[in-house]
Amino acid sequence: MKRFRQPAGGGSVRRSLVLHAAAFLVTLAACPVCPSRSLARGLTVMLAEPPRSMDPADQNATATRSILAPFYESLVRQDADGSIRPWLATAWSVSPDGMAWIFALRPGIVFHDGTPCDADAVVASLRRLLDPGAALAGAGAFRATIASVRRQGASVVITLIHPYADLLSLLSITQAAIVSPLAAARGTLGRHADGTGPFMFVDWQDGAHVGARANPRYWGAPPALTRIEWVWSSEPSVTNMALQTGDADAVMPLAPVFAGLYASGQPAAARAVIHGGRGAAQFWAALNTTLPPLDDARVRRALGLAIDRQALVAGLLHGYGRPACHALTPDIAGSEPCAPGQDRADPAAARALLQQAGLARGFSVTVVVQEPEEPIAEALQAMWRRIGVTLRIRRQEAGVWVQSAFAGPADKARQDIGMVLTSWSAPFIADLQLRPLYASASAAPAGANLGFYRNREIDAAIDRAARTGDPAARARDYAAIQDRLARDAPILPLYVQDNLYGVRQGLDGVQSLPDGEIAVTSARWAAP
């Protein structure tokens, strides 16, 4: 799941890039297709933000998952197309009532610290997720679903609180990665990754980098890379320059505005290639349903009708994305597409709704954004001006923004916060796309329901859909949920952004996953 994006510090990286840019450009002019400077078998990856933690269970950020992926493994894994594959578990079975799942484990696996990854270790790792006393940011979905975990011989039995159709998908996400019980007991996981993956943690220097080296005792195919270094910058221009100069061998994301630089025949195309794929990150505006006049669904729908989503995709994404009109993203079974014309603005219909709500002369509302989402706010500001709505934009530093976004109703009213702009992704898992954003129990500050939407019918429908294994019944439930959410409009979906990333020429095996994670553990340099 992609969570809330956070601008990086990254100052030292940015300064380094600026200082070295001229020197690298001279080098590139002489050798435009040299694969990578001194990292003959290593790799430097630049992301948009720094990691939040080295503990997979204590984070909810896409960039952090990209960094943690080479260190950790889960019982199962999910491919880019949503297929579930064995990983630390070689096979599994489920009881007829769907309540008990038995996982057979791969034998002979050890953690990076040398301790065995056996049934006892897996049970300890998963029980840590379920421990209400453990302050783990990514544990909520597991505690709401899993009743207990126990050992059965060399296997592990997971017993559920209620049937959950997406259990295997849930167990495949980074937060369910199996961690070393020894490291967990020491309390070092937050700063030092310790899993079973093909790369081992080396160091994490705040504001600088995270380092990794190949795991010589890895149970699977040994990685082709000897080391990985992760750096970050929140400035898209710096990321693009790093790709061109060779300060980074892979960058994620690459801002769409730079994609044209790498088109065939352009000078930059000799140094790097750009890849794109359909992503699952939906950008949206959460409306404060407790703050007048946004407590009126007609007003919320009017704001939605005044948005030209096609224009947002064209202007902000340069076409690398799709308009979003409903709660579920296109990768999720049962997602509703935009109806004909629904992704274009209808100011007349919007004004009519405002008039019905007694707001024919419009109103003013304040949105809080982080720097990357400010262009979205500016575009909405212009679109809503046509219906008499004034959008006041309050840009905030990451830490302040998190406090504002997750403030309770009283605090948001005191701060006059009517709206929050951000993004969210939960590839292939409808429940994790809906429950955190729309369920009453997820209302901030407890969860990511940032507009305090409360609807018992929706709560019951989300529960019912998550617990049924009948795909047809689930599809009906999700269609009804999306239709009701479109009428209530507590959140205004805007668009789903494609994943755009760049790699240096000669580098193969880099992939992007639907949630925006970049996967580099299978990367390799072409022979010189």
Side-chain angles (χ1 to χ4, degrees), residues 42-57:
L43 184 72
T44 299
V45 185
M46 178 171 281
L47 304 173
E49 64 180 54
R52 311 241 177 128
S53 174
M54 291 297 110
D55 184 341

Side-chain angles (χ1 to χ4, degrees), residues 465-493:
R467 297 175 187 186
T468 181
D470 180 0
R474 297 185 77 196
R476 288 193 295 272
D477 282 335
Y478 286 133
I481 290 171
Q482 290 173 91
D483 289 345
R484 179 59 187 267
L485 291 176
R487 294 199 303 274
D488 287 356
I491 280 176
L492 302 180

